[in-house]
Amino acid sequence: MGIFLDIKKAFDCVDHNILFKKLDNLGIKNNKLDWFKSYLCNRSQKVDINGKISESKNISIGVLQGSSLGPLLFLCFINDMPRSSLFFSLLFADDTACLAAHSDIDVLYNMVNVELQKIACWFKTNKLSVNVSKTKYIHFHYKHKRVDLTNYKVYYNDNEPGNVQDQTRIFELSRIYDANPNFEDKYYKYLGILVDESLTFNAHLSYISTKLCRSLYILNKAKNTLPKSTLKNVYFALIHPHLLYCMSITACTTKKNIDKLYKAQKKAIKIINNNPNNKSSKEIFKNMRILPFPQIAKLQQLLFMHSVYYEYCPRSFVNNFALKREGRHDHDLRNLNNFNLPFPRSESFKRLPPYSFIQNWNDLEESKLYANRYTFKNSVTENMLNDLYA
């Protein structure tokens, strides 16, 4: 299960006194701490309504939005939140997600409600508040697996544990699911990705496809007035970023979804080249030094596995991938630099990261020996472009 918390006015509600205590615990002391106090304290603001200006009031809460220190100070403020519960918490500025898993559905929901009350206590202690109407949760499951959740609810309990429970401070959270009559609750937008209960990414890739169609219209209108080099820049400004963003994960979808975006990409490069129908798209891709969409997704997956192999990935991924050489045999094996590939339980499992990422890495040849990320990326890209004619 994933719980996606919406924090009310997160940057504007950071209490300065609590922040200073947390900075002190992080090792920022003496003159350095005084510098931050001088930076945040003794600020004031006025409000202008219809030309009438209020009196000046001192500000004792909030970090400056738009500044380089604003997000950093907020991260220092919220960094200890994961220690308040057993959730696996993901923090990206004020976008907070909590994950929990269990094989028994009764235990899962009981655990989530208990741990979510601990999260509520943390927010109250730190003088932050959660917008419960915008806080959602998703019960993840396989697409064709029927899950009856009629009698299961998730609550945001703002009461202190062990005290008398005030029912007015207990809020039922909305669930994201495909059959939800409310269209906005069929998926949740987290860090720009539309997440659904089966992780099919159908809604997200349809959304990206719609954006690409708008960009294709602009590109088509400009093809008669702009030179080819400028049209290529337009492609990298309006189309390529959508194909690149988080595609190592969202590309673990059906071939139908991948082909939809690949088709839009081929239209774009043909527009740039004045629609040469007598040329194959592979030839155009190679001449323009642009990878086709399936290869873009594969490259992003290989770059992630490169970070795992050479141990510069986030620490939370370190123990998720095991090399064949690690503690299983006393003698040398072939392909010692490969990762253990799990047994695929279904065809859909082969598309998921625990299988597809490892398989793509194991199939790689000499390029995986490049420890430098930039050299590795160039080598893999060059090989993929050369393979377009193979």
Side-chain angles (χ1 to χ4, degrees):
M1 186 186 297
I3 301 96
F4 302 92
L5 301 169
D6 185 88
I7 307 174
K8 290 182 181 178
K9 302 289 183 180
F11 282 67
D12 296 330
C13 295
V14 173
D15 185 274
H16 290 172
N17 291 328
I18 298 176
L19 175 61
F20 296 147
K21 291 179 181 178
K22 294 190 177 189
L23 291 176
D24 183 78
N25 290 333
L26 290 171
I28 301 173
K29 302 176 182 294
N30 303 324
N31 293 340
K32 300 178 182 64
L33 184 59
D34 290 338
W35 188 92
F36 280 101
K37 289 181 179 179
S38 175
Y39 174 71
L40 290 173
C41 295
N42 299 321
R43 290 183 178 271
S44 60
Q45 70 178 23
K46 299 179 180 180
V47 178
D48 183 351
I49 301 178
N50 296 327
K52 295 183 178 181
I53 301 177
S54 69
E55 295 180 358
S56 178
K57 294 290 185 180
N58 289 332
I59 303 172
S60 61
I61 60 172
V63 291
L64 277 70
Q65 296 192 46
S67 65
S68 57
L69 279 177
L72 181 61
L73 291 173
F74 181 78
L75 290 177
C76 293
F77 189 84
I78 202 174
N79 193 51
D80 62 334
M81 193 211 78
R83 299 174 62 185
S84 65
S85 74
L86 298 178
F87 284 134
F88 179 77
S89 300
L90 304 172
L91 308 179
F92 191 90
D94 59 338
D95 288 310
T96 304
C98 300
L99 304 178
H102 201 277
S103 58
D104 189 315
I105 190 171
D106 293 312
V107 175
L108 174 63
Y109 274 81
N110 288 332
M111 177 178 66
V112 165
N113 285 319
V114 170
E115 297 304 318
L116 201 53
Q117 187 175 10
K118 296 179 184 178
I119 293 289
C121 288
W122 183 93
F123 277 106
K124 185 162 59 176
T125 302
N126 288 270
K127 298 183 179 180
L128 293 177
S129 59
V130 172
N131 190 339
V132 291
S133 64
K134 294 184 178 180
T135 296
K136 314 287 184 180
Y137 74 95
I138 301 179
H139 184 111
F140 295 108
H141 61 85
Y142 284 107
K143 184 177 181 180
H144 300 294
K145 183 178 180 180
R146 293 183 178 180
V147 181
D148 185 10
L149 302 176
T150 306
N151 299 321
Y152 295 97
K153 305 292 181 182
V154 173
Y155 299 96
Y156 186 86
N157 190 343
D158 204 20
N159 292 289
E160 291 285 347
N163 293 349
V164 178
Q165 302 295 292
D166 183 357
Q167 296 301 315
T168 61
R169 301 180 67 86
I170 301 176
F171 308 92
E172 182 182 337
L173 300 183
S174 300
R175 181 167 74 93
I176 302 293
Y177 60 101
D178 294 340
N180 198 312
N182 186 1
F183 180 78
E184 294 181 352
D185 286 340
K186 292 179 181 291
Y187 48 81
Y188 187 86
K189 190 172 186 178
Y190 183 68
L191 300 180
I193 305 296
L194 302 182
V195 182
D196 59 90
E197 63 177 341
S198 302
L199 294 178
T200 62
F201 299 111
N202 291 337
H204 176 72
L205 294 176
S206 296
Y207 172 68
I208 296 299
S209 180
T210 302
K211 282 196 167 187
L212 294 183
C213 288
R214 296 170 185 167
S215 300
L216 287 173
Y217 175 79
I218 296 173
L219 200 62
N220 196 40
K221 285 292 184 180
K223 68 179 181 181
N224 296 322
T225 56
L226 297 177
K228 181 179 176 180
S229 59
T230 305
L231 290 175
K232 187 175 179 180
N233 290 335
V234 173
Y235 165 84
F236 279 106
L238 299 181
I239 295 176
H240 199 75
H242 293 300
L243 299 177
L244 199 62
Y245 181 67
C246 207
M247 280 303 160
S248 58
I249 298 298
T250 54
C252 298
T253 182
T254 61
K255 187 176 183 299
K256 180 180 179 181
N257 285 332
I258 292 176
D259 289 342
K260 186 187 300 183
L261 299 188
Y262 184 29
K263 184 178 180 180
Q265 186 192 26
K266 287 192 287 187
K267 285 183 179 179
I269 64 163
K270 287 191 174 183
I271 290 173
I272 295 172
N273 288 270
N274 200 21
N275 198 21
N277 293 318
N278 58 330
K279 283 189 177 182
S280 68
S281 58
K282 290 184 178 180
E283 183 179 352
I284 303 173
F285 275 116
K286 186 170 184 179
N287 292 337
M288 295 185 66
R289 310 291 298 171
I290 296 175
L291 287 177
F293 174 64
Q295 278 68 40
I296 290 175
K298 185 177 180 180
L299 175 61
Q300 296 304 308
Q301 294 174 354
L302 289 173
L303 286 172
F304 174 78
M305 292 306 299
H306 185 268
S307 72
V308 173
Y309 183 80
Y310 288 100
E311 299 180 349
Y312 62 90
C313 66
R315 285 182 295 175
S316 56
F317 293 106
V318 170
N319 297 323
N320 292 339
F321 301 91
L323 290 168
K324 288 185 176 181
R325 63 172 180 248
E326 292 179 351
R328 300 194 65 180
H329 299 276
D330 296 329
H331 55 278
D332 292 339
L333 298 175
R334 291 181 301 171
N335 304 321
L336 287 178
N337 294 324
N338 288 351
F339 290 93
N340 290 315
L341 191 66
F343 179 78
R345 294 166 290 180
S346 63
E347 285 301 314
S348 60
F349 180 77
K350 291 182 178 181
R351 299 197 305 264
L352 301 181
Y355 188 93
S356 62
F357 282 37
I358 296 175
Q359 185 181 49
N360 288 334
W361 176 264
N362 290 350
D363 291 341
L364 205 61
E365 296 180 355
E366 66 274 4
S367 294
K368 67 175 69 171
L369 300 178
Y370 292 115
N372 182 276
R373 182 181 176 89
Y374 181 78
T375 307
F376 171 78
K377 181 179 179 180
N378 285 344
S379 175
V380 173
T381 302
E382 192 65 32
N383 290 337
M384 286 180 172
L385 290 172
N386 292 333
D387 289 343
L388 290 178
Y389 280 129

